[in-house]
Amino acid sequence: MLPTQLPTNHFQISPLDDTLNRVAESLQLDPTRRQRIETSYKAVSEWIEKDLTFFRSTLVDIYPQGSIRIDTTVKPYRQSEFDVDFVCHLDFLTGKLHDALEVLDELERRLREHDTYKGRIKRKNRCIRIVYADDFHLDILVGCQELTDNPERLLVPDRQLKDWTFSNPIGYGNWFEQQAWVPQQAWQLLKESYQQRMMVEAAQKLTDPVPYALKPPLKRAVQILKRLRDVYFYNNPDLAASSIVLTTLTGYAYQKQLSIADIIAGWADYTLSRVRYDERRQPIPFEVPNPANPRENFGDKWKSEPTIFKAFVNFVLYLRDTWARITSATNPATRDELLQGLFGYERIQRILTEQRDWTAKVQKLSTLSGLIAAPTLHTKPDVKLTPDPTPIKNQPHRFHGGPRFAAGKIRQRNTVGFYQMHFLEKAYGTTFRCRLENGKLVAEGWIQPHELCGPYKVKIEYLPGMAPWVYIINPVIEPHPAIHMYSDRSLCLHFADDHRWTDRTRIAETTVPWIAEWLVCYEVWLLTDTWIGAEAPHEQTKITTTPIL
């Protein structure tokens, strides 16, 4: 066992580890398939438990083992079936009264009594397999308790040996969980780095879920190694090392590193340190004892089939050399190209795109939310919002979404229109194209209220005596009460009791800055489903609208 290496008082999740976390998360079972597996597992368990002959008096428990038990599941690679393992745990006396193959035959007999299962059964060396339409299969291991005073250790039937062999699924799961455990201080460092990397505090407001959850690094490393194995041996699956071998060696090699990349490098070094060569320079198989029951050797197949062991050693050598190039790459493009070779071009490209999109979303949310929360806002000549002083200081207002307020006396006077046009042009130059139509001012222009926002084409219609009507022309936005937009797609930018409109109220100093604020709030709403602008309760008024002429 290698000495444990506790982390220092500082740790940062690197871009490589961030990518590996995302790869591992993408490999996990999706909720739909997990639900199907759990439903099937429970149904099979209930069927065995209802047996009125053999299992009625011998069954102790039925429980999952393997990747489901230790949370290291990996999706099938290119349509291969997902492997789900669980244990049919029988009592101590059954192992003394029945021989190994008889117990295995009883399990097969019970499953064949089911109309659905009988056509899906495959006999394996140590288990009975039920195949579910090339989607996944259940491997059911039946075992008898080895000792009366140890409920974990089992005797498991082996068809090739025609006898019992040793196992301990419960103890193995407990061992791996202990190996994966991270000391509290180190876990806090990892958690803080994760929260910083994923910008969790800001990201909690997003409607999109955080791309991946915080998980013990050892479990992530096992998921990564399993997928690397699947890709490497895709054309020769019979030569691939078993998942239990990969998992156990990774557990033995683990030194409490917080970096997934370091764990994988350490696994390769540790595994190769176990390899010895004969006089012909051929690798000599070594044992991989079950840490929960050393009499069980997970690498027992290597001695009888040395070709498999040699293929395994070649895989570790290849991975060690490739991994060294990845971890030492100073050019991100070089690193990403190497990762594409290991995991596939499409997967890595998708993950890299997701990384960029997620970072951009959270940064956008944080920046725009901070902007709206500023004590004072100003509007620049290009209609961008800023907390820094400019000639246009945004007036306080509250967005409103109730019925419109009644208009005052409408004055058909071009002088008021020219007055508004003058100040629009003075404040914003040629941003707006203005015209007068029968006393009504119409101003159209493109507004991009912040560099992180998209451009919007807006239209302002104004009749003296009334507050302006404002519409978003492009892109088309569907009305929604939460965004303070009426069914005719006009915006409700202020609550009338807060701001009484007169002929001398300047659109340039009120309506335009408020439009910019509305657009920023809208962009945040798209990310969070939450309106962050100040709001007036909708029930504060019952006055109805007067349509603009």
Side-chain angles (χ1 to χ4, degrees):
M1 186 72 177
L2 296 174
T4 297
Q5 295 180 347
L6 293 176
T8 63
N9 58 1
H10 179 74
F11 175 77
Q12 288 294 323
I13 295 176
S14 67
L16 174 57
D17 273 333
D18 185 40
T19 300
L20 294 175
N21 269 300
R22 292 170 188 266
V23 170
E25 186 79 13
S26 73
L27 296 175
Q28 292 185 162
L29 282 175
D30 59 88
T32 300
R33 180 176 285 185
R34 176 176 282 276
Q35 182 60 48
R36 290 202 304 269
I37 288 174
E38 290 179 354
T39 300
S40 300
Y41 156 70
K42 291 178 181 178
V44 173
S45 299
E46 291 175 359
W47 179 251
I48 296 172
E49 290 170 351
K50 291 178 181 179
D51 183 38
L52 299 178
T53 56
F54 183 80
F55 291 101
R56 180 179 184 180
S57 59
T58 62
L59 184 63
V60 173
D61 196 6
I62 297 177
Y63 48 83
Q65 67 162 334
S67 60
I68 292 286
R69 162 71 172 81
I70 62 175
D71 193 22
T72 58
T73 59
V74 173
K75 290 179 181 178
Y77 180 62
R78 294 192 178 181
Q79 306 304 316
S80 59
E81 297 169 2
F82 184 79
D83 181 20
V84 181
D85 302 302
F86 69 93
V87 178
C88 186
H89 187 135
L90 307 183
D91 61 17
F92 169 79
L93 191 58
T94 301
K96 303 302 179 184
L97 298 179
H98 303 271
D99 64 41
L101 297 188
E102 183 182 355
V103 171
L104 201 54
D105 289 341
E106 283 292 340
L107 176 61
E108 183 176 351
R109 184 267 312 166
R110 177 55 179 163
L111 294 175
R112 289 193 181 278
E113 290 175 351
H114 194 285
D115 290 340
T116 300
Y117 304 148
K118 66 182 180 182
R120 299 178 175 179
I121 289 176
K122 290 185 178 181
R123 302 179 74 182
K124 308 297 286 185
N125 185 42
R126 294 186 183 181
C127 66
I128 301 296
R129 175 172 294 177
I130 303 177
V131 180
Y132 289 82
D134 294 326
D135 186 22
F136 64 92
H137 59 255
L138 299 180
D139 283 345
I140 309 169
L141 182 79
V142 62
C144 300
Q145 196 164 304
E146 180 187 356
L147 304 169
T148 57
D149 59 348
N150 188 333
E152 296 181 356
R153 292 172 61 166
L154 297 179
L155 295 173
V156 177
D158 188 298
R159 292 188 192 276
Q160 293 181 355
L161 298 176
K162 297 182 180 180
D163 202 354
W164 300 102
T165 187
F166 304 104
S167 189
N168 189 342
I170 294 177
Y172 182 87
N174 293 339
W175 169 81
F176 184 82
E177 290 292 349
Q178 181 61 34
Q179 293 299 103
W181 174 78
V182 178
Q184 183 176 0
Q185 180 181 359
W187 181 259
Q188 185 61 31
L189 291 175
L190 181 62
K191 182 178 179 180
E192 291 172 358
S193 178
Y194 166 78
Q195 291 175 336
Q196 180 180 0
R197 163 67 65 173
M198 303 308 296
M199 299 172 280
V200 171
E201 184 175 355
Q204 288 176 345
K205 300 174 183 178
L206 291 173
T207 54
D208 295 341
V210 177
Y212 61 87
L214 184 60
K215 192 172 183 176
L218 178 60
K219 296 186 177 185
R220 291 293 195 201
V222 168
Q223 290 178 295
I224 294 295
L225 284 168
K226 285 200 232 178
R227 177 42 56 96
L228 293 172
R229 181 260 334 256
D230 293 342
V231 175
Y232 183 87
F233 288 102
Y234 176 68
N235 293 320
N236 297 285
D238 293 338
L239 296 178
S242 65
S243 293
I244 192 68
V245 166
L246 293 179
T247 303
T248 305
L249 289 175
T250 312
Y252 279 137
Y254 185 46
Q255 302 177 62
K256 302 300 180 183
Q257 305 101 312
L258 298 183
S259 165
I260 301 172
D262 289 349
I263 297 172
I264 294 173
W267 170 84
D269 290 339
Y270 169 81
T271 302
L272 291 174
S273 73
R274 298 278 306 273
V275 179
R276 298 292 181 269
Y277 294 86
D278 61 20
E279 62 278 3
R280 296 175 301 165
R281 294 301 299 165
Q282 296 300 309
I284 302 172
F286 59 80
E287 291 190 351
V288 184
N290 181 344
N293 192 342
R295 287 183 289 181
E296 181 180 16
N297 174 24
F298 294 138
D300 57 356
K301 196 174 184 180
W302 287 344
K303 287 188 176 181
S304 59
E305 301 183 54
T307 303
I308 296 179
F309 181 70
K310 185 177 181 179
F312 171 69
V313 173
N314 289 335
F315 164 64
V316 181
L317 287 168
Y318 163 76
L319 182 57
R320 181 197 62 183
D321 296 342
T322 305
W323 207 252
R325 294 171 61 196
I326 290 173
T327 55
S328 63
T330 56
N331 186 342
T334 301
R335 182 191 65 217
D336 295 342
E337 184 177 351
L338 291 168
L339 290 172
Q340 290 166 10
L342 290 177
F343 297 103
Y345 176 83
E346 291 184 0
R347 181 177 297 276
I348 295 300
Q349 282 300 307
R350 184 174 68 251
I351 285 172
L352 294 176
T353 300
E354 290 172 354
Q355 276 180 311
R356 289 191 294 268
D357 290 348
W358 173 261
T359 301
K361 281 184 179 181
V362 179
Q363 290 178 342
K364 178 177 180 178
L365 171 61
S366 179
T367 300
L368 297 185
S369 298
L371 182 64
I372 293 298
T376 58
L377 278 177
H378 296 74
T379 303
K380 298 191 290 186
D382 59 357
V383 202
K384 284 184 170 57
L385 296 176
T386 177
D388 302 323
T390 70
I392 302 296
K393 180 180 179 180
N394 293 22
Q395 299 299 311
H397 70 113
R398 290 186 293 172
F399 295 102
H400 182 59
R404 291 196 200 276
F405 290 87
K409 183 178 180 182
I410 298 177
R411 300 174 177 86
Q412 299 282 355
R413 293 190 301 175
N414 285 340
T415 55
V416 178
F418 283 119
Y419 171 85
Q420 297 290 358
M421 288 174 59
H422 168 75
F423 284 103
L424 279 172
E425 293 173 358
K426 180 180 179 182
Y428 306 112
T430 59
T431 297
F432 296 97
R433 295 180 60 184
C434 302
R435 64 184 185 274
L436 289 172
E437 298 177 352
N438 297 323
K440 179 176 68 175
L441 171 65
V442 178
E444 295 185 14
W446 287 89
I447 295 178
Q448 186 180 12
H450 192 275
E451 289 79 3
L452 297 178
C453 297
Y456 294 82
K457 186 176 183 180
V458 302
K459 181 179 181 180
I460 303 171
E461 296 182 346
Y462 170 70
L463 275 176
M466 304 178 68
W469 258 245
V470 178
Y471 303 90
I472 307 298
I473 305 302
N474 191 7
V476 175
I477 298 175
E478 291 300 318
H480 192 287
I483 64 173
H484 304 281
M485 176 182 280
Y486 291 113
S487 58
D488 65 355
R489 290 191 169 87
S490 63
L491 308 184
C492 186
L493 298 176
H494 77 286
F495 181 48
D497 284 353
D498 295 342
H499 191 100
R500 287 296 179 184
W501 196 272
T502 71
D503 288 350
R504 310 303 294 177
T505 304
R506 297 175 183 174
I507 294 174
E509 298 175 2
T510 54
T511 302
V512 173
W514 295 345
I515 295 172
E517 291 183 32
W518 186 94
L519 292 173
V520 170
C521 291
Y522 173 69
E523 294 247 353
V524 172
W525 179 80
L526 290 175
L527 296 172
T528 65
D529 274 347
T530 301
W531 192 262
I532 62 172
E535 299 177 287
H538 295 180
E539 64 274 9
Q540 285 193 12
T541 178
K542 297 182 180 179
I543 305 175
T544 58
T545 182
T546 298
I548 195 165
L549 300 179

